[in-house]
Amino acid sequence: MYVIAGVTGNTGRVAAETLLARGEKVRVVVRDPAKGQAFADKGAEVAVADLSDAAALTNAFRGAKGAYVLVPPNFVVTDFAAYQDGISDAIAQAVAAAKVPHVVLLSSVGADVPAGTGPIAGLYRAEAKLSNIPGTVATFIRAGYFVENLGGSLGALAHGILPTFFAADFPVTMIATQDIGELAATLLIEGASQTSAVQLGGTATGGTTYEDVADAIGRITGKRPQVVVNPVSAMSDALQGFGVPKTMADLYQEMTTAMLNGTITHQPGLRTIPMKTSVETVLRGLLSA
Ligand SMILES: NC(=O)c1ccc[n+]([C@@H]2O[C@H](COP(=O)([O-])OP(=O)(O)OC[C@H]3O[C@@H](n4cnc5c(N)ncnc54)[C@H](OP(=O)(O)O)[C@@H]3O)[C@@H](O)[C@H]2O)c1
């Protein structure tokens, strides 16, 4: 039986549904029992636990062959790094206490770097904790930039523009969350004999630029937006203007800067899985929502 966290979100939902469709036993972890009903209807067990509650998570993990976990976003807390550490501490404690043999963590490209990468540094620390549990092996999905993040820029299409803090011709290693969820399910079924990381995202040409995104939007809507590049130094203030707490906004600016200067980049030599779902496919969904 596999335990899946984050099933009301992008990747956990796909992981759980993929496993159920393949005939595997699944236990979903939800905070609100009502949100587990759709999975119970498909034959899954439902455990109620907050990812920051080690005792409840231990119960949720008991008897699992493998577990899929993530450190969810949180746009309310004022100290995001402390929030991330609270979640990864609880997950690591619960994995150890429940003796889960295999844990798959949704991590990120750049999680090989200890600091200076914004929120990704919290995933570096989460990987470290899960790497040191006797009797447990971990697989880290070092995912690229979610294509779904583009949803935050689509509001400006009404004005004919696609805003970004990346240079218009900067190749961003993007990945659809559908691909991540499917990979998580596959990795759980495969199992693992040693702790390792898998890189996920990118294309044969190395990435997707915002000009590529504008082209795709043009093909879908018939109206190609103009890419408008904002300086990355203005990112924190802009996000705070949308209500994002300052510490989080600063971390996003740090992450984007680290992507632009090459601190966050794919590592040569790691197993790398290219994207299956195209940027255009995800954009079609976002634009029709
Ligand atoms: N965005 C990117 O470009 C990117 C790139 C690489 C890696 N990542 C990683 O991917 C993560 C997001 O993954 P995602 O898109 O699959 O998530 P998501 O769609 O944002 O969903 C988050 C899930 O976690 C659950 N959750 C939130 N807080 C919880 C808590 N305290 N206890 C239990 N469950 C909780 C939510 O359930 P509720 O229904 O209860 O809210 C929801 O199911 C990021 O946090 C980051 O670590 C992101």
Side-chain angles (χ1 to χ4, degrees):
M1 184 264 302
Y2 299 106
V3 174
I4 310 295
V7 291
T8 60
N10 294 311
T11 61
R13 178 185 59 76
V14 175
E17 287 178 350
T18 303
L19 288 164
L20 288 166
R22 292 186 196 173
E24 300 290 344
K25 284 193 178 158
V26 171
R27 182 185 297 150
V28 298
V29 182
V30 290
R31 293 190 281 188
D32 172 358
K35 291 189 179 179
Q37 191 56 48
F39 290 92
D41 292 345
K42 292 176 186 162
E45 291 178 31
V46 177
V48 178
D50 191 290
L51 284 166
S52 62
D53 181 342
L57 266 188
T58 303
N59 286 332
F61 287 161
R62 273 194 213 290
K65 272 200 285 195
Y68 174 70
V69 295
L70 71 168
V71 182
N74 187 319
F75 293 98
V76 181
V77 290
T78 49
D79 186 343
F80 186 69
Y83 155 81
Q84 287 179 302
D85 290 344
I87 298 271
S88 55
D89 280 345
I91 290 173
Q93 280 173 36
V95 164
K99 299 183 173 26
V100 181
H102 184 209
V103 60
V104 175
L105 169 73
L106 174 53
S107 186
S108 173
V109 59
D112 54 310
V113 181
T117 56
I120 297 172
L123 298 173
Y124 170 91
R125 298 190 295 276
E127 286 194 7
K129 289 171 204 174
L130 292 174
S131 296
N132 287 307
I133 300 174
T136 297
V137 294
T139 307
F140 306 124
I141 299 181
R142 298 231 180 113
Y145 190 84
F146 291 1
V147 185
E148 282 79 357
N149 295 344
L150 293 170
S153 306
L154 301 183
L157 290 184
H159 307 290
I161 62 170
L162 178 68
T164 177
F165 293 98
F166 294 105
D169 60 353
F170 180 80
V172 181
T173 302
M174 294 193 189
I175 186 74
T177 54
Q178 174 77 25
D179 293 7
I180 300 171
E182 287 178 13
L183 178 68
T186 298
L187 292 170
L188 284 170
I189 292 171
E190 276 179 4
S193 56
Q194 59 183 29
T195 293
S196 67
V198 178
Q199 291 175 144
L200 185 59
T203 64
T205 52
T208 305
T209 69
Y210 269 71
E211 293 293 355
D212 296 333
V213 174
D215 287 344
I217 292 171
R219 285 192 294 276
I220 296 165
T221 65
K223 280 172 76 176
R224 187 191 188 281
Q226 185 194 347
V227 178
V228 173
V229 178
N230 299 296
V232 69
S233 57
M235 187 173 189
S236 178
D237 284 345
L239 291 179
Q240 288 176 63
F242 287 109
V244 177
K246 181 174 178 352
T247 50
M248 181 69 152
D250 287 347
L251 288 172
Y252 271 90
Q253 180 168 314
E254 183 178 272
M255 177 183 75
T256 308
T257 304
M259 289 173 75
L260 284 164
N261 70 22
T263 303
I264 296 173
T265 189
H266 269 49
Q267 279 182 283
L270 272 191
R271 178 180 172 194
T272 301
I273 296 176
M275 65 194 293
K276 255 179 18 188
T277 307
S278 71
V279 170
E280 194 160 329
T281 300
V282 179
L283 278 171
R284 272 184 202 283
L286 292 172
L287 287 164
S288 65

